[in-house]
């Protein structure tokens, strides 16, 4: 039908996760951030589990996309002993939520640098020492904000971040 929005015309079974908008409750994110700030990570996680369960149950496209991604990773890398199911998908949602907390902690300057473990960075350090650059590609699960905080602590390192924001402005 002319003029019909493709997002609305797509059925939930055929809609790709990148075609749906963000589903964020900013006040809830700030509340959870302050729970973490005041009470610590364990109380934060206890408050987070009902939120994760709500999103997992109420977002079938996102749940399906999570399982598709996890099954792709299983086929490509054999991460689990069997094909991933609902438990791994819930864990995927939990890790995504924890990355959001880490992003907020990095932005606020509250992320402890001692928690960061870097491996395989020798080639990057060599490029920095020679005054050369490189390109790092990350996905939504990556934490660009944490990279920016760490880069500020490295003398002579300039980090330029390019972000595709079509689906997450």
């Amino acid at each position: 039908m002319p003029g019909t929005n493709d997002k609305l015309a797509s059925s939930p079974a055929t809609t790709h996760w990148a075609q749906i908008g963000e589903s964020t409750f900013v006040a809830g994110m700030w509340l959870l951030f302050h729970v973490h700030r005041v009470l610590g990570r364990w109380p934060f996680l206890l408050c987070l589990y009902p939120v994760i369960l709500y999103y997992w149950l109420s977002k079938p496209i996102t749940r399906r996309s999570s399982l598709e991604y996890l099954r792709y990773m299983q086929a490509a890398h054999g991460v689990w002993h069997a094909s991933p199911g609902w438990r791994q998908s819930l864990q995927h949602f939990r890790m995504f939520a924890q990355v959001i907390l880490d992003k907020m902690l990095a932005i606020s300057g509250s992320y402890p640098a001692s928690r960061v473990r870097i491996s395989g960075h020798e080639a990057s350090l060599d490029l920095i020492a020679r005054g050369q650059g490189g390109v790092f590609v990350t996905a939504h699960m990556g934490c660009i904000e944490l990279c920016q905080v760490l880069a500020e602590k490295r003398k002579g390192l300039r980090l330029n971040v390019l972000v595709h924001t079509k689906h997450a402005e």
Side-chain angles (χ1 to χ4, degrees), residues 96-166:
F96 180 81
Q98 286 184 269
V99 167
I100 292 173
L101 172 66
D102 292 341
K103 290 173 182 280
M104 294 175 77
L105 291 171
I107 291 168
S108 70
S110 303
Y111 196 93
S114 62
R115 289 194 60 208
V116 178
R117 300 289 179 254
I118 302 172
S119 62
H121 63 287
E122 293 78 13
S124 300
L125 294 175
D126 189 42
L127 287 171
I128 293 167
R130 291 189 314 223
Q132 295 179 318
V135 176
F136 293 89
V137 178
T138 185
H140 205 25
M141 296 296 284
C143 190
I144 295 168
E145 294 80 2
L146 188 55
C147 292
Q148 289 173 308
V149 169
L150 294 173
E152 290 171 5
K153 296 181 180 195
R154 184 81 159 139
K155 186 176 181 181
L157 177 61
R158 185 177 75 214
L159 180 66
N160 297 312
V161 178
L162 303 174
V163 179
H164 177 64
T165 61
K166 181 177 179 183

Side-chain angles (χ1 to χ4, degrees), residues 2 4 7 25 27 34 47 66 73 80-81 91 111 126-127 156 158:
T4 302
K7 292 179 190 176
F25 182 53
H34 288 293
C47 293
S66 168
M73 293 303 291
W80 299 276
H81 298 301
Q91 183 180 25
Y111 196 93
D126 189 42
L127 287 171
R158 185 177 75 214

Side-chain angles (χ1 to χ4, degrees), residues 24-96:
T24 303
F25 182 53
V26 177
M29 289 174 62
W30 279 110
L31 174 66
L32 286 172
F33 175 75
H34 288 293
V35 165
H36 178 272
R37 191 173 63 104
V38 173
L39 301 174
R41 197 159 192 102
W42 281 107
F44 163 80
L45 290 174
L46 289 174
C47 293
L48 187 63
Y49 285 119
V51 175
I52 293 167
L53 189 58
Y54 166 78
Y55 275 97
W56 191 82
L57 289 170
S58 68
K59 305 292 181 191
I61 295 168
T62 310
R63 187 174 57 245
R64 185 191 77 230
S65 298
S66 168
L67 281 168
E68 285 176 8
Y69 171 76
L70 295 173
R71 289 176 179 150
Y72 171 80
M73 293 303 291
Q74 174 66 15
H77 303 287
V79 180
W80 299 276
H81 298 301
S83 181
W86 66 270
R87 286 187 178 122
Q88 290 78 16
S89 180
L90 269 170
Q91 183 180 25
H92 190 208
F93 274 61
R94 181 180 56 87
M95 293 306 297
F96 180 81

